[in-house]
Amino acid sequence: MSSPNFQKSAALCFAAVLAVAFCAPLPACHDDEAKNMPPKIYFASDGNFEIAPGDTLLLEPRILYDYDSRYSWTDADGNLISQERDLLFTTSEMKDYKFLFSIENNAGADTFSISVSVQLRATFDDLDNFQTKKSSVLALLPDTLPGAFRWKGLQFANVINADTSMWYGFAFSNKTSTSSTLVASSIGTAYISSSSSSNAYMAVCAPSSIAKILFPRAYSPKSVDVANDNFIYLASKFGFTTTDSAIVSPAAFADFYRVVVDGIGENGMTNGASVSIDLVDCNFDNPAKYLRLTKWSTLDLTELGQVNGLLFRVETSLAGFPPFFCIDNLRLQD
């Protein structure tokens, strides 16, 4: 569900090796001619990498016309780190790093900028016995607390209605659909046009102030991926009928459906900082231009600063619409 290569094992080594598909066809030339060509640097993932604290990253550039070359690695401040061809990087500090790799020989020189983001990244596709289920929502895990459950040190609010078995707060899901049929089972299903149902994420039901994620210590949230719930996407287009036969109208001009994320301070209360993303935006004269999110979209959380948790909620002009959406890839730094 995310493009950068990310591994969770603290001992895993990443190799930034260029695949053949990244390279343009090489011109036919003799060895002597090649030695007179200036060097050219390539990196996989466009030189952008994400790792967990304590992981080891092998930065191994692919170089064309690498003859009698001199190498250098420098940091963001221009300090020389290494003069070897490859760089082995590991750290426990959760922040963003910038490196500049340079190569020079008698024919010329080239440089390449590399970004490494060290972060705690909450992904949910490694849950035992969950990926194998074709279409499911898992509301609770064995490690439960009163009204919440823990996952990798983070505490997710979760409440179950004993009468209806409906969940509130957060639940694991691997259901995706772009079906045009609106049914109650659409709840907890991400409306994504290109995704595998084997990948798990968090389905969210966020009435009032229930949907909180509490951290074991203060972090600086970096970003989170957000997607539309299938029910909300279709309801905004066609409206729906409630269980007591009330008719709820679809979205019209100027309507919106917005996910808001508030920072939570050390006292457990929201601290006044918030960011938001519109999942439905009808602020257009032509209904054909109404926007409804159909893919995972990354919401920048850096404006929240250092916080002890996050509150997810919905703001909408659509009366009667339930507060459903989906999240994945919560990224945290020091």
Side-chain angles (χ1 to χ4, degrees):
M1 279 181 268
S2 87
S3 58
N5 180 21
F6 181 87
Q7 299 293 339
K8 303 175 183 68
S9 172
L12 195 59
C13 183
F14 295 75
V17 181
L18 179 72
V20 174
F22 284 87
C23 298
L26 296 179
C29 59
H30 300 295
D31 288 345
D32 289 343
E33 294 175 338
K35 290 180 181 179
N36 293 322
M37 298 291 291
K40 182 65 177 178
I41 305 167
Y42 296 91
F43 265 93
S45 304
D46 296 325
N48 298 308
F49 301 91
E50 292 182 1
I51 63 173
D55 278 356
T56 299
L57 174 65
L58 177 61
L59 295 170
E60 187 179 17
R62 170 72 183 269
I63 304 171
L64 299 182
Y65 311 122
D66 186 5
Y67 297 98
D68 300 322
S69 302
R70 299 171 294 279
Y71 318 107
S72 67
W73 290 88
T74 55
D75 62 18
D77 297 321
N79 300 314
L80 180 65
I81 301 172
S82 172
Q83 292 181 300
E84 299 295 324
R85 186 181 187 278
D86 304 331
L87 181 66
L88 195 64
F89 175 75
T90 185
T91 182
S92 59
E93 292 188 67
M94 293 197 297
K95 62 181 185 180
D96 294 334
Y97 292 84
K98 296 284 187 181
F99 300 105
L100 188 69
F101 175 68
S102 300
I103 181 173
E104 182 181 5
N105 61 23
N106 293 334
D110 194 17
T111 60
F112 200 103
S113 178
I114 298 97
S115 299
V116 181
S117 181
V118 184
Q119 57 191 237
L120 175 65
R121 183 174 171 201
T123 59
F124 312 105
D125 52 358
D126 61 346
L127 294 173
D128 293 341
N129 302 318
F130 188 66
Q131 299 184 61
T132 57
K133 298 179 181 179
K134 280 282 188 179
S135 180
S136 54
V137 175
L138 180 65
L140 288 174
L141 293 180
D143 179 21
T144 43
L145 298 168
F149 61 85
R150 282 189 291 257
W151 186 80
K152 291 195 174 181
L154 306 180
Q155 181 176 312
F156 293 82
N158 181 278
V159 179
I160 303 292
N161 186 315
D163 295 328
T164 64
S165 297
M166 179 59 198
W167 51 270
Y168 305 95
F170 298 91
F172 292 104
S173 178
N174 60 2
K175 297 171 65 176
T176 62
S177 175
T178 54
S179 168
S180 59
T181 302
L182 181 62
V183 293
S185 59
S186 298
I187 295 172
T189 302
Y191 192 96
I192 307 172
S193 56
S194 59
S195 179
S196 169
S197 61
S198 65
N199 295 323
Y201 57 88
M202 279 289 188
V204 188
C205 178
S208 185
S209 58
I210 288 178
K212 293 181 179 180
I213 303 176
L214 299 181
F215 307 151
R217 63 178 179 85
Y219 286 111
S220 295
K222 187 177 178 68
S223 63
V224 66
D225 295 342
V226 184
N228 243 321
D229 183 273
N230 185 269
F231 184 91
I232 297 302
Y233 178 90
L234 295 176
S236 71
K237 293 186 73 172
F238 308 117
F240 64 97
T241 303
T242 66
T243 54
D244 57 359
S245 300
I247 297 176
V248 179
S249 300
F253 172 69
D255 278 330
F256 65 92
Y257 190 94
R258 180 176 300 145
V259 171
V260 181
V261 185
D262 299 300
I264 296 176
E266 190 175 6
N267 61 359
M269 306 296 291
T270 55
N271 61 6
S274 65
V275 294
S276 64
I277 181 172
D278 284 350
L279 303 187
V280 177
D281 180 7
C282 301
N283 196 26
F284 301 91
D285 292 332
N286 184 353
K289 294 183 179 181
Y290 290 174
L291 298 180
R292 296 173 177 86
L293 205 61
T294 60
K295 62 181 180 179
W296 289 105
S297 184
T298 300
L299 174 60
D300 187 347
L301 301 178
T302 55
E303 290 185 21
L304 300 180
Q306 194 168 69
V307 295
N308 292 78
L310 301 171
L311 170 65
F312 290 78
R313 57 187 175 89
V314 168
E315 291 181 352
T316 182
S317 62
L318 295 164
F321 273 61
F324 294 116
F325 54 93
C326 308
I327 67 167
D328 197 11
N329 296 324
L330 173 61
R331 301 168 178 91
L332 307 175
Q333 290 186 322
D334 288 325

